[in-house]
Amino acid sequence: MENAQPQHNSHSNQKLGIGLILLSAVCTSVGQLLWKIADGEINIPLLIGCVCYGAGAVTMMIAFRFGKLSVLHPMLSLGYVFALVMGSIFLDEHISAMHIIGTALIIVGAILIGGGEN
């Protein structure tokens, strides 16, 4: 069994995968925020947003090498949480009670999925 890995190494890989997928969610959220700030113009925020979004996509592909798809892919939903917070901070967008409830559900789901079988 060449593919068999020690439990510790597998657990470390899973943690690395989770860390990378969180970084991916942050990068793509920042990219989208910058696109919004660019307001449809071709300018510096748009270009930096494209770089951030691309970095998020590459980071996501790398993350999938270190963890289970069934765990990592749902954690990308944390990008919605990051976007909500950044929209509130940088764009002065209103956060309603429904946003808070939905965000709490996403966070709880990500914690439950990220915890895996432990």
Side-chain angles (χ1 to χ4, degrees):
M1 296 183 82
E2 290 180 31
N3 292 336
Q5 296 178 351
Q7 183 67 20
H8 174 69
N9 192 21
S10 176
H11 186 67
S12 295
N13 282 346
Q14 187 71 9
K15 281 184 171 182
L16 178 59
I18 289 171
L20 289 170
I21 212 74
L22 290 174
L23 178 61
S24 173
V26 169
C27 288
T28 56
S29 297
V30 169
Q32 292 169 358
L33 172 70
L34 291 170
W35 291 345
K36 175 78 173 171
I37 290 170
D39 200 30
E41 307 272 328
I42 297 178
N43 54 26
I44 297 298
L46 176 75
L47 298 175
I48 295 172
C50 288
V51 170
C52 288
Y53 198 87
V58 170
T59 305
M60 177 183 58
M61 289 185 280
I62 294 168
F64 287 143
R65 294 186 60 206
F66 296 101
K68 295 180 181 179
L69 180 66
S70 61
V71 171
L72 297 180
H73 199 277
M75 293 189 77
L76 284 172
S77 64
L78 289 171
Y80 295 112
V81 176
F82 300 140
L84 180 77
V85 171
M86 287 188 296
S88 175
I89 293 170
F90 297 109
L91 303 174
D92 203 28
E93 293 181 347
H94 174 71
I95 299 177
S96 69
M98 290 304 285
H99 286 124
I100 292 170
I101 292 168
T103 300
L105 291 172
I106 289 171
I107 292 169
V108 167
I111 290 169
L112 292 174
I113 289 172
E117 294 134 15
N118 298 334

